[in-house]
Amino acid sequence: ASSKASPTRVGLPSERSRREAPSARFWASRAERRFGSSAHAALVTRGFAEMARFGAALGARRETLTGLSGLGDLILTCGSPQSRNMSLGIELGKGRSLDEVLGKRLTVTEGVYTASAVVEMAAARGIDMPIAQAVHAVISGLATVDEAIEALLARPLRAEV
């Protein structure tokens, strides 16, 4: 996968990386896609790292990113099934279509409308945002949930900071 963000396609692993990461194929193929607390914590942590890179590139203040409107909102969004974005992700993970889920809602799930803008802005600035890319790819129909999970799990290990 390229280190630069792509606004149109999630970086799917090469055949070589698929052979080197059998655990990614195992976890991505799990029917219910129920990951544990450690996986959830890793996703939130890496999501915050993406937010920090994006915010820094756009001149955000560190206090904003680490405060209630940054990290606080991320924790709520990623930690409560009552969150419109998290509940959408849960439903997509269960195999429901985006249209099916949104058709039953009376509220706006803002991530559906902001994912593509974030990915485009990140790509224009060369900011690596694989989680945002995966969300965009699933919402846009460019990747299945399983393909997005596999692409994220197949990424090479590297320092968090």
Side-chain angles (χ1 to χ4, degrees), residues 8-142:
T8 58
R9 184 155 160 72
V10 66
L12 297 177
S14 67
E15 188 59 40
R16 179 175 171 226
S17 67
R18 284 187 189 129
R19 286 192 309 267
E20 293 172 355
S23 62
R25 293 184 61 71
F26 168 76
W27 287 109
S29 67
R30 292 185 63 193
E32 293 190 47
R33 298 176 196 94
R34 293 183 188 226
F35 294 91
S37 297
S38 293
H40 183 257
L43 185 64
V44 173
T45 302
R46 290 184 177 182
F48 183 67
E50 286 188 22
M51 281 179 53
R53 286 192 300 272
F54 188 73
L58 295 173
R61 293 176 32 202
R62 184 169 189 223
E63 307 83 55
T64 303
L65 290 169
T66 58
L68 288 175
S69 61
L71 182 58
D73 187 60
L74 179 67
I75 290 169
L76 177 62
T77 297
C78 297
S80 173
Q82 292 177 331
S83 156
R84 294 180 300 262
N85 288 316
M86 184 172 178
S87 62
L88 175 73
I90 290 168
E91 294 304 311
L92 294 175
K94 290 178 181 176
R96 292 188 176 84
S97 73
L98 181 64
D99 289 338
E100 179 184 355
V101 177
L102 294 179
K104 295 179 181 177
R105 294 192 173 200
L106 300 175
T107 59
V108 174
T109 305
E110 62 278 357
V112 171
Y113 305 100
T114 59
S116 62
V118 167
V119 169
E120 287 178 25
M121 291 173 70
R125 290 164 177 79
I127 305 166
D128 187 33
M129 296 189 68
I131 297 169
Q133 284 180 277
V135 168
H136 166 69
V138 170
I139 288 172
S140 301
L142 300 169

